[in-house]
Amino acid sequence: MKKMLCYSCSALLLCADNLFAIDWVDIGGFGTVTGVSTFNDKRPYRGFRDDDVDFEQESLFGLQVRADLKDGLSGTAQIVARGFDDWDAEFEWAYLTYIINSDWTIKGGRFRTPFFHFSDVVDVGYAYHWVRPPVSVYAPLFKNLDGINVTHSADVWNLTSTADLFYGKVNKQINFGGSETSVDLKHLWGGSLGLSSDWYTLRFSYFQAEASFPFTAAPALTAILAPPELPVPSTTLTTETSKATDIDADDAFFASISLRIDYDNFFAVAEITKSDVEDSYFTNPLAYYISAGYTIGDFTPHITYEQFDTDAQYGILDKEPPGTPRNTLEGIIQQTEEDFKQYTIGVRYDFHRSAALKFDFNYIDYKVEDGISRVDAPLYSISANFVF
């Protein structure tokens, strides 16, 4: 089916001049080949790294096609193949853009969620100095949404202002805990505001949605949840507690602030994010990082500090009477405490005008280790990034 879709799109582009009044078609692409290892099979990084060098998990290749349909209308599609997904190519972007005038632009379809400082280029490794953006912030369950986006650009005093307003939804299958599950966000709305000058860029973003994540915190939780249509036996949680552990049509919000400074060869960037899902076991994390670097010829050494703080929902236990189910639930809630700090030092080498070689050393430091998935560990990464 995917091959048929790709063949159909290619055929459409070939005969586009006969179907539409197209001024031009721009085809570009990007790619990343990344090798990672801890060089220590007893110290896994985030639970899945070992002493082998892995060149698959974080390597990817992308192709973007943009067709100008004249009179301010254009179409954009982006296809990305990822190593961890067996290199199956998928359409990540597919949207129409209409330029109303020099200030207003509207687009509709599937496009990147404008949540973060590097949202638009998070898959384009060539666009930033790290091998990967800080994992504490750039680890969302989804990156694209289906909907509509309105952009307004203007000059305010000595600043360039860009405001985005969007509305849409997300329904995506993800791999969580080794199994496929669905992330469903309805009535997703929000916006972002960027202010930039010659030497700094300040950005704010916010969104709200009705969230449903039909997975539980751990397999053990499934075993003690009471089916709502059956009487509650003594080996299960009460109905009230069961509802408190769900993320089912709950109100959710996300907010972020970022600042980037560029002064001669020096740069610094910082970003802070906050997520919250009401009436659930979601840990409502606060995440942030600060990074700085200095360009010396073709080399850019850099350093980054990041932190991820969670709020384990022990208040849910107040709804549950003493007993085995409560004790089991308390252990599961303890497992959601994912607080960690991470330190990164690295260097980027721009050996070609369209390609860069990068090396990063990361060290993750958990507040509480569990010896399995939360283990203080180093990670060594080397990456070649290119655009065309």
Side-chain angles (χ1 to χ4, degrees):
M1 182 62 185
K2 292 179 180 177
K3 289 184 178 179
M4 183 65 72
L5 184 59
C6 291
Y7 294 154
S8 299
C9 291
S10 299
L12 182 62
L13 289 174
L14 289 174
C15 60
D17 286 333
N18 296 324
L19 295 175
F20 307 102
I22 295 180
D23 264 0
W24 47 262
V25 174
D26 182 31
I27 300 177
F30 54 90
T32 295
V33 178
T34 301
V36 294
S37 182
T38 64
F39 296 111
N40 187 341
D41 58 2
K42 300 185 185 304
R43 310 297 295 179
Y45 174 88
R46 295 179 66 83
F48 62 92
R49 304 299 188 198
D50 56 31
D51 58 351
D52 292 330
V53 179
D54 185 343
F55 283 96
E56 182 178 33
Q57 290 295 313
E58 295 187 320
S59 296
L60 61 84
F61 181 85
L63 188 66
Q64 186 176 112
V65 180
R66 182 174 180 272
D68 189 339
L69 308 177
K70 293 185 176 181
D71 299 323
L73 187 65
S74 64
T76 303
Q78 181 168 290
I79 305 170
V80 178
R82 303 176 187 276
F84 74 81
D85 199 25
D86 294 326
W87 296 102
D88 288 336
E90 293 186 0
F91 276 93
E92 295 214 345
W93 297 358
Y95 60 85
L96 281 174
T97 302
Y98 181 61
I99 301 175
I100 301 173
N101 54 41
S102 59
D103 297 331
W104 293 93
T105 302
I106 186 170
K107 65 183 178 184
R110 174 166 294 182
F111 51 88
R112 183 57 44 88
T113 50
F115 296 160
F116 306 106
H117 188 92
F118 295 99
S119 282
D120 288 341
V121 295
V122 68
D123 289 329
V124 186
Y126 184 80
Y128 41 80
H129 55 287
W130 310 282
V131 168
R132 69 191 64 79
V135 296
S136 58
V137 170
Y138 288 82
L141 295 175
F142 61 93
K143 294 188 293 186
N144 306 302
L145 67 89
D146 299 317
I148 190 169
N149 185 95
V150 178
T151 301
H152 179 262
S153 301
D155 292 328
V156 180
W157 299 304
N158 294 323
L159 302 174
T160 298
S161 167
T162 303
D164 283 289
L165 296 175
F166 60 88
Y167 179 86
K169 66 177 182 178
V170 172
N171 187 273
K172 181 175 177 58
Q173 292 294 118
I174 65 167
N175 187 294
F176 183 83
S179 61
E180 289 292 320
T181 189
S182 175
V183 172
D184 188 18
L185 299 178
K186 296 180 179 179
H187 310 299
L188 175 62
W189 65 272
S192 65
L193 173 64
L195 300 171
S196 60
S197 71
D198 292 339
W199 60 276
Y200 76 87
T201 300
L202 183 63
R203 190 176 184 280
F204 308 88
S205 70
Y206 177 86
F207 87 80
Q208 284 189 331
E210 185 179 285
S212 296
F213 300 165
F215 52 76
T216 56
L221 183 55
T222 304
I224 60 173
L225 289 175
E229 70 276 6
L230 298 176
V232 182
S234 60
T235 56
T236 63
L237 298 174
T238 64
T239 301
E240 185 180 7
T241 309
S242 298
K243 290 181 179 179
T245 62
D246 289 339
I247 302 179
D248 185 14
D250 292 323
D251 292 334
F253 86 84
F254 170 89
S256 73
I257 302 174
S258 68
L259 173 65
R260 181 181 176 99
I261 296 173
D262 291 275
Y263 185 78
D264 292 335
N265 292 341
F266 171 81
F267 70 88
V269 57
E271 194 163 4
I272 182 170
T273 65
K274 174 64 177 176
S275 305
D276 188 282
V277 180
E278 295 182 355
D279 302 321
S280 73
Y281 67 84
F282 190 69
T283 57
N284 305 327
L286 174 71
Y288 60 90
Y289 71 85
I290 182 168
S291 182
Y294 192 87
T295 301
I296 308 169
D298 295 328
F299 293 88
T300 304
H302 56 85
I303 186 170
T304 302
Y305 171 80
E306 58 185 289
Q307 187 159 328
F308 186 78
D309 294 327
T310 58
D311 181 16
Q313 300 299 303
Y314 288 102
I316 294 175
L317 298 173
D318 297 337
K319 305 176 185 293
E320 185 67 20
T324 300
R326 188 184 190 278
N327 295 337
T328 302
L329 179 59
E330 183 175 8
I332 292 168
I333 293 175
Q334 287 177 347
Q335 294 175 27
T336 67
E337 294 188 14
E338 292 283 343
D339 297 29
F340 68 84
K341 301 175 183 178
Q342 180 159 291
Y343 310 88
T344 302
I345 57 173
V347 62
R348 169 179 173 142
Y349 171 42
D350 288 275
F351 68 93
H352 187 276
R353 63 179 182 179
S354 300
L357 187 66
K358 294 186 277 188
F359 173 79
D360 280 5
F361 170 77
N362 308 101
Y363 187 81
I364 192 165
D365 179 12
Y366 284 96
K367 182 178 181 180
V368 178
E369 290 189 89
D370 64 5
I372 302 173
S373 60
R374 296 191 296 271
V375 178
D376 295 349
L379 184 70
Y380 304 87
S381 307
I382 187 168
S383 181
N385 306 265
F386 60 90
V387 294
F388 61 89

